[in-house]
């Protein structure tokens, strides 16, 4: 029976000394800084920022039932 290392070693980019997932997550978390507060901004001033909560419209848009896929079906023969 072949080991899993043989096919993995044959693939390009395989590194047997790669960090385990748990250790990699620890390293990544060490570089992250959690958000410290929430700001309220006009929509146009919020470009490139992260939402603190979902934005929900108070009205239905559009105000009528709408198909998920509007369009045309075409069948042609050559």
């Amino acid at each position: 029976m072949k080991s899993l290392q043989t096919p993995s070693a044959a693939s390009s980019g395989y590194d047997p000394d790669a960090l385990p997932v748990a250790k990699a997550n620890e390293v990544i978390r060490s570089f992250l800084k959690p958000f410290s507060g929430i700001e309220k901004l006009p929509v146009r001033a919020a470009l490139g920022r992260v939402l603190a909560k979902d934005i929900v419209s108070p009205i239905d848009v559009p105000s009528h039932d709408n198909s998920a896929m509007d369009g045309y079906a075409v069948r042609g023969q050559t």
Side-chain angles (χ1 to χ4, degrees):
M1 183 174 169
K2 294 181 180 180
S3 73
L4 290 176
Q5 187 170 358
T6 304
S8 298
S11 68
S12 64
Y14 172 73
D15 182 3
D17 297 320
L19 289 175
V21 172
K23 182 64 177 174
N25 281 334
E26 185 181 318
V27 170
I28 291 168
R29 283 189 187 106
S30 72
F31 287 97
L32 300 177
K33 179 183 170 192
F35 290 106
S36 59
I38 296 174
E39 293 179 285
K40 289 189 177 187
L41 299 171
V43 172
R44 292 192 185 272
L47 183 64
R49 300 202 177 212
V50 177
L51 290 175
K53 60 182 181 177
D54 292 340
I55 296 176
V56 180
S57 175
I59 59 172
D60 291 335
V61 180
S63 60
H64 58 278
D65 291 340
N66 191 21
S67 172
M69 297 181 72
D70 291 334
Y72 296 92
V74 178
R75 179 178 176 175
Q77 292 179 320
T78 56

